[in-house]
Amino acid sequence: MKSIASAPGKIILFGEHFVVHGTKAILAAIDKRVTVTSTFTENKTVKVNSQLGTLEMPVSFSCEEANSEFRPFVYLANKMINSNQNVNGVEITIDSDIPIGVGLGSSSACCVAAAASISGLFKELSSEEILKISIEAEKTIFPDTSGADCTVCTYGGMIVYDKIKGIEKIGNIFDLNLIIANSMIPHITKNSVEKVRKFKENNEERFSKLCAYETRIIADVIRVMEDEDEEDYNIIIGEKMVSNQMLLKEIQVSNDTLDGMIRSLTLAPDPDEDWYIDGAKITGAGDGGCVIALVGLDIAMEYKETEENLRRVRAVLGKDKECFSAKIDTGVRSKTEQ
Ligand code: MEV
């Protein structure tokens, strides 16, 4: 029997980093996915095949003995094998079209897809159960995770996330035309989160003010998203992205490359330019990774079915940056085959 599950990558529209410290965040699942296929094996081992290499380890070993990129898979496989006496081992194969280490949720999507795929060999779990074990798996490499990324990878769509209260789905999703641009600078989320923790320790009062600003930004965005009559929603959301980026810059997770990309995107290079971006910001941990840009609404509508928006963004950012458009996608999907 084969158990196959896929989970989406994600973007964070608002609230990265601050969500770790108790504010809300707004996230969306995107149409770049990771697929994990699991099968039983006769050997008493956990075998993981991925684009990062292959690992085979006796089931009796703990996940801490694996390199960090394999740890969540070993954790999940061991957890399930050890609670089922009739099983020897499991082989897991990971196929991903989510770029790694650029803030698009590759590691969370892997944890969610692996949790659904491996558990599917044993019994079907609810979304809540998949989310719970995928966060446990993610914590083997990133103990301070807010759980936001695994949550949106599990449920899909656009969500508001709160570390304590969990998830609220946003009902009325406006058609946001977002372009993702990769700075091509890899980052390690855990290190950026640690850096922000230090910033908070050294600037307690200022940090709590920044959290209050973030809370206000997110409340305003939710209000706009829920108001079907708000005609200027794209402009307002764009402005809030710009404000959010200022907070991210202050907590030092932006850098010259990201600032430069955002500046080029938001300042029209030509005063007669009929094409504009309403707002741009880092998405995810920052210190590299990706930025998101919200294309002006009338223009987005006009160019919707074309590659024109991407062509324009590429023209602004130059050939060395990777750009793609993002569509909102569904959460984890799984099936078994004989
Ligand atoms: C990383 O995608 C998002 C962060 O807010 C960390 C987290 O929420 O766990 C930086």
Side-chain angles (χ1 to χ4, degrees):
M1 182 171 88
K2 251 189 206 172
S3 169
I4 305 163
S6 81
K10 66 91 207 347
I11 50 174
I12 302 187
L13 287 134
F14 295 94
E16 52 273 270
H17 285 293
F18 296 100
V19 68
V20 175
H21 302 276
T23 76
K24 289 182 179 181
I26 302 180
L27 302 94
I30 57 167
D31 55 346
K32 284 197 175 288
R33 300 184 73 90
V34 58
T35 302
V36 176
T37 305
S38 306
T39 50
F40 289 127
T41 59
E42 291 307 318
N43 303 339
K44 286 189 177 304
T45 61
V46 174
K47 186 169 181 195
V48 185
N49 311 303
S50 83
Q51 65 211 73
L52 297 173
T54 296
L55 164 120
E56 186 159 13
M57 235 170 78
V59 170
S60 54
F61 281 30
S62 92
C63 68
E64 277 89 52
E65 290 169 81
N67 281 348
S68 64
E69 62 270 29
F70 294 110
R71 219 171 277 162
F73 308 108
V74 176
Y75 171 85
L76 289 164
N78 279 354
K79 184 179 171 87
M80 290 177 217
I81 294 167
N82 292 333
S83 56
N84 287 273
Q85 281 156 1
N86 304 331
V87 175
N88 287 328
V90 166
E91 179 165 354
I92 304 154
T93 301
I94 301 145
D95 278 310
S96 179
D97 49 36
I98 309 171
I100 296 169
V102 297
L104 297 181
S106 156
S107 121
S108 305
C110 279
C111 290
V112 171
S117 167
I118 302 168
S119 64
L121 289 172
F122 300 88
K123 66 170 183 167
E124 207 176 307
L125 298 184
S126 66
S127 300
E128 290 72 25
E129 289 167 317
I130 290 170
L131 175 59
K132 184 170 175 284
I133 55 172
S134 59
I135 293 178
E136 284 169 17
E138 188 173 46
K139 284 189 171 173
T140 63
I141 45 169
F142 174 26
D144 286 337
T145 175
S146 69
D149 292 9
C150 281
T151 303
V152 76
C153 296
T154 302
Y155 292 103
M158 194 182 280
I159 66 162
V160 178
Y161 179 79
D162 176 310
K163 205 166 132 177
I164 309 292
K165 296 194 196 121
I167 167 185
E168 286 163 36
K169 277 252 187 190
I170 299 181
N172 181 26
I173 299 176
F174 285 113
D175 211 357
L176 299 178
N177 198 309
L178 291 160
I179 305 275
I180 300 173
N182 186 352
S183 68
M184 311 307 278
I185 304 171
H187 66 192
I188 299 173
T189 301
K190 189 175 154 207
N191 297 353
S192 304
V193 168
E194 186 51 36
K195 189 169 81 176
V196 174
R197 186 173 296 287
K198 291 208 176 97
F199 177 92
K200 179 186 176 187
E201 277 163 20
N202 297 331
N203 305 275
E204 280 286 351
E205 215 171 295
R206 182 68 190 154
F207 192 80
S208 75
K209 279 216 174 91
L210 298 178
C211 286
Y213 291 144
E214 184 69 64
T215 298
R216 214 176 306 151
I217 289 172
I218 289 173
D220 288 346
V221 172
I222 295 172
R223 206 172 310 122
V224 168
M225 285 181 164
E226 284 173 352
D227 180 358
E228 282 180 51
D229 299 326
E230 177 56 75
E231 286 178 4
D232 288 335
Y233 70 87
N234 213 76
I235 296 171
I236 300 171
I237 293 173
E239 282 168 5
K240 299 293 167 193
M241 286 168 74
V242 173
S243 307
N244 198 152
Q245 174 61 21
M246 283 161 63
L247 305 186
L248 291 167
K249 202 163 147 60
E250 189 164 341
I251 60 172
Q252 294 164 12
V253 294
S254 199
N255 60 30
D256 290 349
T257 305
L258 297 167
D259 290 345
M261 289 169 73
I262 291 166
R263 205 175 317 113
S264 313
L265 286 165
T266 45
L267 300 177
D270 171 355
D272 297 328
E273 187 61 87
D274 65 343
W275 185 90
Y276 52 85
I277 293 289
D278 276 338
K281 65 179 274 295
I282 289 169
T283 185
D287 284 325
C290 290
V291 304
I292 46 171
L294 180 61
V295 181
L297 187 60
D298 39 342
I299 292 153
M301 291 302 176
E302 195 177 328
Y303 292 127
K304 208 167 168 56
E305 304 304 327
T306 74
E307 283 283 300
E308 187 59 13
N309 286 317
L310 276 174
R311 191 190 66 72
R312 300 269 186 153
V313 169
R314 284 190 189 114
V316 170
L317 294 181
K319 287 203 178 69
D320 59 329
K321 309 285 186 289
E322 209 174 62
C323 303
F324 40 95
S325 61
K327 289 201 179 57
I328 295 179
D329 206 357
T330 54
V332 64
R333 301 197 284 254
S334 57
K335 63 176 181 186
T336 52
E337 284 174 5
Q338 285 310 319

